[in-house]
Amino acid sequence: MSISAIASEQVNRIVWNQHHDPFEVLGSHLIEQNGKNVWAVRAYLPNASAAWVVVPENRKEYPMYTVHDPHFFECTIETPELSNYQLRIKEGEHELVTYDPYAFRSPHLTDFDLHLFGEGNHHRIYEKLGAHLTEVDRVKGVYFAVWAPNARNVSVLGDFNLWDGRKHQMRKGHTGVWELFIPELGMGEHYKYEIKNFEGHIYEKSDPYGFQQEPRPKTASIVTDLNSYTWNDENWMEVRRQTDPLTQPISVYEVHLGSWLHAPSSEPAKLPNGETQAVVPVSELNPGARFLTYRELAERLIPYVKELGYTHIELLPIAEHPFDGSWGYQVTGYYAPTSRFGSPEDFMYFIDQCHQNGIGVLVDWVPGHFPKDGHGLAFFDGTHLYEHADPRKGEHKEWGTLVFNYSRNEVRNFLAANALFWFDKYHIDGIRVDAVASMLYNDYCRKEGEWLPNQYGGRENLEAADFLRQVNHTIFSYFPGVLSIAEESTSWPMVSWPTYTGGLGFNLKWNMGWMHDMLDYFSMDPWFRQFHQNNITFSMWYNHSENFMLALSHDEVVHGKSNIIGKMPGDKWQKLANVRALFAYMFAHPGKKTMFMSMEFGQWSEWNVWADLEWHLFQYEPHQQLKDFFQSLNHLYRSEPALYTQDFAREGFEWVDCSDNRHSVVSFVRHAKDSDEFIVVVCNFTPQPHSHYRIGIPEKGFYTELFNSDARQYGGSNMGNLGGKWTDDWSLHNRPYSLDLCLPPLGVLMLKLDKQKMAEVMK
């Protein structure tokens, strides 16, 4: 019997899972015994009845013995070198031969990694923390690392160790990062971290940096390889890198993948190799349905969006979330695309297919709050690690969620790297940051006495503002040509200004004021609109203060607000005409565009996260005609530079007449950049048509009627100008020429000077 000398106290700390560095005890150690240098090998094997060390050079076996504990095994071996040894373990009637994880002592994180993480500037920390397939000393396995500085102990749990936290205890570094390499693990392993605080309380947590999670309601993380997918979007990525998106048409189709369309639960999903894929049922509220997979969505959603002419798809939060009813806005797995629709590789395929079809992909990103679910970030290491301890700073009671501690470097690093991660690993084209106002103001939705002021006594969350600047600066440094869009509902200045000017660094901001004004205006009886002309015109007073995106989003069609068509007054014809007028005005107005799914065909009911959209409405001609309207509108928008190249320049817009409130008519001109092309837009927001309505025009000639929202093909009354009109030499609206137009009811006209026809006349 040959054993090494080791204190029973050290052994007990391993057996009771109380050691912060099990490598001090376990594994191989060069010691002196009887005047010789020998290797002491120790292993704690809770289910073993016997064990042997197998030396790889000669396959010789050395029996291990127990002294301090019936499952703590040790022996000594006289050999010059001992590496990559294996353990033969007998557990009941079963035996296995495996590498000892405590034989692999070299840490994966360098001191420089830890330094950058500690100061909040490790931009690709997701390549270090989490679970990573790797090879150490020619042995393949998985390296695990997790930040839990206030934990007493951390272990890796999984199917591979029967979820026993005693078997794979991790080592704590001086910065609070725990790590362990477990040999012979591979793709698809399910795991969690068992975290104990100093009071002995145990928390089982999903990996904050985990790349994949089990479908809900299960919560384990899954080992996966994000570098195995072969991308085919090189041309798209190169063009994007060299393009300024603010000078391009941006028309976004906002989608919640879980409710766009479902498949029957009896219909299996097929992979490209012909195999079937496990599918996820929707919910008990829709028992006969299952979610479409990412690959099925690529087959159905992408052609639909391409046909309609949208430039981008925006996905409601795609990161893993446990509760369907949160729509994805209560994230637990920030680095994992939700497994409801398939694997990370399947999601990569979806984005790749979007790019190959000329469609960009935006993702809703939620750094403003996170839920209290036990497997998530809340109270992660037995302390308030990711959130503030004081609920006056750390909790959104209205949502039942927690607020990130933006003043902590490692938390900022977690989030900033996460934003970069989606661009890096999934090739997304932009993020839309949810609820920015909730981040910027300490008193957001809080009563007096329920919030804490900043160091200067103000309500502004200065740490959150600095964090947003850090995120945007980092994103645009690595990925020029992408979008960072703020959903910010207040008058916080310079949201979409560059960080070097003191701005928050977004390149677009949702225009929430425009949205409220439009919906208020269009929901009122047209007779009353003459008294509210300011709703239509006010947005241009502040339009150049930010780079605005006009958005009619999911928030406007839930919680008793009705869908867009249901907000409109009048009979069914007038409702549809109002919808066409609203969106035609939206596409003619300066600013990029976003609209939520179902608006394009006039769904009547509110959006229901557990149900399909009302696709059956396409059997009725008015709804098909509305879809045709959006298809024409998008294609016109993309084909006319005057409608998008100068969205944010004063030179891109001028009123012709905004004061005719008696008729509820406005007219304006949109100018193209680096060109003398322009579009004349005339809007009549009442059901009363106007014949011989005259507006001033800057240039003489024939103006083609490019677009008429009242056209018969869209379900309108087909009133118009017979394809176009010649100007008259009558000055009006401080312009030398004018047009005598027929304005259709609840209609929007877009006209363009036909220079070729003018040249033919001049001949």
Side-chain angles (χ1 to χ4, degrees):
M1 174 175 168
S2 180
I3 61 172
S4 64
I6 185 172
S8 59
E9 179 187 356
Q10 288 280 68
V11 174
N12 289 337
R13 290 176 67 191
I14 294 293
V15 172
W16 298 337
N17 196 355
Q18 293 181 349
H19 208 300
H20 73 283
D21 186 3
F23 283 87
E24 290 183 357
V25 179
L26 303 177
S28 58
H29 299 263
L30 190 61
I31 65 171
E32 184 178 336
Q33 190 177 71
N34 299 325
K36 298 180 180 179
N37 288 332
V38 298
W39 289 96
V41 180
R42 309 183 190 104
Y44 178 50
L45 307 170
N47 301 116
S49 57
W52 297 259
V53 175
V54 181
V55 177
E57 284 76 12
N58 54 19
R59 304 305 297 173
K60 186 175 180 180
E61 296 188 358
Y62 296 84
M64 304 183 76
Y65 303 93
T66 63
V67 176
H68 302 285
D69 182 273
H71 301 295
F72 188 92
F73 295 84
E74 51 186 324
C75 72
T76 56
I77 302 172
E78 294 186 23
T79 181
E81 297 290 337
L82 183 64
S83 62
N84 287 10
Y85 65 87
Q86 294 175 300
L87 300 175
R88 182 163 69 90
I89 304 168
K90 184 176 182 181
E91 297 180 349
E93 300 298 321
H94 304 283
E95 286 193 5
L96 72 151
V97 177
T98 183
Y99 288 97
D100 182 2
Y102 299 100
F104 302 88
R105 309 184 68 85
S106 299
H108 188 65
L109 278 86
T110 65
D111 288 341
F112 189 53
D113 287 325
L114 296 172
H115 169 76
L116 290 176
F117 180 56
E119 70 176 20
N121 287 317
H122 199 309
H123 297 157
R124 288 190 166 91
I125 190 63
Y126 49 84
E127 294 181 347
K128 299 294 183 176
L129 297 184
H132 299 274
L133 295 164
T134 189
E135 185 174 307
V136 180
D137 296 337
R138 302 183 305 280
V139 177
K140 294 181 179 180
V142 177
Y143 170 82
F144 297 91
V146 62
W147 179 58
N150 303 307
R152 187 187 71 187
N153 304 93
V154 180
S155 301
V156 184
L157 305 175
D159 295 328
F160 46 86
N161 61 19
L162 302 179
W163 301 89
D164 188 338
R166 299 171 296 172
K167 293 185 177 181
H168 290 103
Q169 302 173 38
M170 304 179 78
R171 171 175 54 192
K172 182 181 182 180
H174 66 276
T175 61
V177 173
W178 301 74
E179 58 182 348
L180 182 67
F181 172 73
I182 303 181
E184 300 177 297
L185 295 188
M187 286 273 290
E189 293 284 358
H190 292 59
Y191 71 98
K192 284 187 180 182
Y193 296 114
E194 179 186 271
I195 297 176
K196 288 184 181 179
N197 68 8
F198 279 89
E199 296 172 348
H201 298 155
I202 297 176
Y203 308 88
E204 291 189 4
K205 296 288 188 176
S206 303
D207 190 346
Y209 290 86
F211 295 150
Q212 185 177 1
Q213 286 193 13
E214 290 181 293
R216 52 92 173 111
K218 296 182 178 181
T219 58
S221 300
I222 302 174
V223 175
T224 192
D225 181 9
L226 297 186
N227 299 314
S228 62
Y229 182 79
T230 302
W231 289 89
N232 296 288
D233 62 350
E234 296 85 359
N235 292 338
W236 171 275
M237 298 292 281
E238 181 60 24
V239 170
R240 187 188 76 182
R241 188 180 67 83
Q242 300 180 22
T243 302
D244 178 5
L246 299 186
T247 64
Q248 302 303 306
I250 298 178
S251 175
V252 180
Y253 186 71
E254 187 188 29
V255 180
H256 178 262
L257 292 181
S259 57
W260 184 75
L261 181 67
H262 299 127
S265 57
S266 58
E267 177 185 323
K270 293 184 178 179
L271 297 173
N273 59 10
E275 297 180 359
T276 58
Q277 176 176 325
V279 296
V280 181
V282 174
S283 74
E284 295 178 359
L285 300 176
N286 196 352
R290 67 166 176 84
F291 293 121
L292 295 180
T293 66
Y294 291 117
R295 292 180 182 269
E296 290 173 328
L297 286 160
E299 292 178 359
R300 303 189 191 189
L301 176 60
I302 292 173
Y304 180 77
V305 172
K306 186 175 182 180
E307 177 191 10
L308 282 166
Y310 291 95
T311 63
H312 292 74
I313 294 173
E314 178 185 329
L315 304 177
L316 267 65
I318 206 68
E320 194 59 84
H321 51 281
F323 177 45
D324 295 355
S326 77
W327 312 338
Y329 288 99
Q330 295 192 8
V331 177
T332 51
Y334 275 80
Y335 285 83
T338 178
S339 54
R340 288 166 174 80
F341 317 120
S343 68
E345 187 171 288
D346 294 335
F347 185 47
M348 292 176 183
Y349 174 83
F350 173 83
I351 295 175
D352 201 0
Q353 289 299 305
C354 285
H355 289 172
Q356 292 181 52
N357 283 275
I359 299 171
V361 179
L362 312 178
V363 171
D364 269 19
W365 187 55
V366 192
H369 61 112
F370 60 94
K372 300 177 182 178
D373 296 68
H375 67 281
L377 298 176
F379 214 64
F380 186 78
D381 63 355
T383 67
H384 298 283
L385 186 64
Y386 285 88
E387 69 273 25
H388 291 277
D390 192 328
R392 291 175 295 177
K393 294 186 71 175
E395 186 175 358
H396 279 309
K397 291 185 178 180
E398 182 184 31
W399 300 332
T401 55
L402 301 175
V403 180
F404 284 104
N405 183 352
Y406 305 110
S407 63
R408 186 155 195 169
N409 293 348
E410 297 90 346
V411 174
R412 288 202 316 275
N413 203 147
F414 170 80
L415 290 169
N418 181 247
L420 191 74
F421 165 83
W422 292 99
F423 290 97
D424 180 21
K425 296 299 184 182
Y426 287 95
H427 292 201
I428 67 168
D429 302 286
I431 54 174
R432 175 262 189 187
V433 183
D434 176 64
V436 171
S438 74
M439 302 170 64
L440 292 176
Y441 295 98
N442 291 323
D443 63 345
Y444 184 86
C445 287
R446 293 185 175 97
K447 299 176 183 178
E448 189 67 32
E450 294 181 352
W451 60 279
L452 294 177
N454 61 36
Q455 58 185 313
Y456 304 109
R459 56 196 283 258
E460 297 81 8
N461 189 327
L462 303 179
E463 294 88 355
D466 287 341
F467 160 71
L468 291 171
R469 293 187 186 100
Q470 176 188 357
V471 168
N472 287 317
H473 176 78
T474 304
I475 288 173
F476 293 124
S477 297
Y478 283 96
F479 298 102
V482 301
L483 295 170
S484 181
I485 307 164
E487 185 213 6
E488 205 285 311
S489 56
T490 73
S491 57
W492 185 285
M494 303 166 62
V495 171
S496 58
W497 290 34
T499 55
Y500 60 79
T501 67
L504 293 184
F506 295 93
N507 54 4
L508 285 171
K509 171 184 173 176
W510 272 17
N511 194 335
M512 309 297 282
W514 177 90
M515 178 271 294
H516 286 295
D517 286 345
M518 289 306 99
L519 295 182
D520 286 347
Y521 183 84
F522 276 92
S523 64
M524 67 179 66
D525 187 285
W527 187 86
F528 293 102
R529 291 177 182 174
Q530 61 184 306
F531 308 112
H532 299 273
Q533 187 86 342
N534 187 57
N535 284 45
I536 291 294
T537 61
F538 181 64
S539 58
M540 289 311 302
W541 283 97
Y542 60 85
N543 184 70
H544 305 298
S545 63
E546 300 277 4
N547 299 333
F548 282 118
M549 171 170 274
L550 310 181
L552 292 170
S553 72
H554 62 277
D555 281 326
E556 314 319 317
V557 294
V558 291
H559 302 321
K561 298 177 185 177
S562 178
N563 214 308
I564 291 294
I565 191 171
K567 300 178 192 291
M568 302 300 168
D571 58 20
K572 184 176 181 180
W573 187 93
Q574 288 192 19
K575 288 179 182 293
L576 288 163
N578 270 299
V579 170
R580 295 193 301 271
L582 167 61
F583 282 100
Y585 180 62
M586 173 182 178
F587 274 71
H589 189 288
K592 307 310 180 185
K593 329 296 179 188
T594 292
M595 56 177 288
F596 188 55
M597 63 183 192
S598 80
M599 294 180 184
E600 77 277 9
F601 62 84
Q603 177 163 308
W604 288 97
S605 65
E606 289 189 343
W607 170 48
N608 182 345
V609 71
W610 288 286
D612 284 357
L613 300 185
E614 295 179 341
W615 297 109
H616 65 277
L617 292 176
F618 276 112
Q619 65 184 303
Y620 304 111
E621 187 178 28
H623 296 278
Q624 180 64 54
Q625 290 171 326
L626 188 59
K627 179 196 169 191
D628 294 342
F629 162 82
F630 277 101
Q631 184 174 352
S632 299
L633 188 60
N634 268 312
H635 286 289
L636 172 70
Y637 169 64
R638 298 176 66 170
S639 65
E640 293 295 337
L643 295 177
Y644 61 80
T645 53
Q646 294 202 100
D647 278 324
F648 316 116
R650 295 184 183 277
E651 298 78 15
F653 176 93
E654 61 174 323
W655 288 112
V656 174
D657 183 17
C658 62
S659 61
D660 188 7
N661 61 295
R662 187 167 67 90
H663 296 102
S664 297
V665 173
V666 295
S667 51
F668 54 90
V669 179
R670 296 294 310 277
H671 293 276
K673 185 178 182 181
D674 301 327
S675 168
D676 58 359
E677 289 190 355
F678 59 91
I679 301 288
V680 178
V681 182
V682 188
C683 310
N684 174 20
F685 294 125
T686 72
Q688 176 63 48
H690 301 295
S691 58
H692 303 295
Y693 191 94
R694 190 170 291 275
I695 64 167
I697 292 294
E699 293 188 31
K700 185 175 183 177
F702 183 82
Y703 284 77
T704 301
E705 190 176 86
L706 290 180
F707 187 81
N708 183 344
S709 68
D710 189 53
R712 178 181 291 115
Q713 70 191 90
Y714 310 137
S717 63
N718 210 40
M719 295 186 69
N721 296 277
L722 301 176
K725 282 289 187 73
W726 285 95
T727 56
D728 297 315
D729 294 334
W730 296 358
S731 63
L732 187 65
H733 298 136
N734 295 318
R735 289 167 177 81
Y737 311 101
S738 60
L739 285 174
D740 180 5
L741 298 173
C742 172
L743 304 188
L746 296 170
V748 175
L749 302 177
M750 299 189 203
L751 305 106
K752 184 178 181 181
L753 178 63
D754 188 334
K755 296 184 178 180
Q756 182 177 356
K757 184 169 288 191
M758 187 65 181
E760 292 173 355
V761 171
M762 295 298 290
K763 288 180 180 179

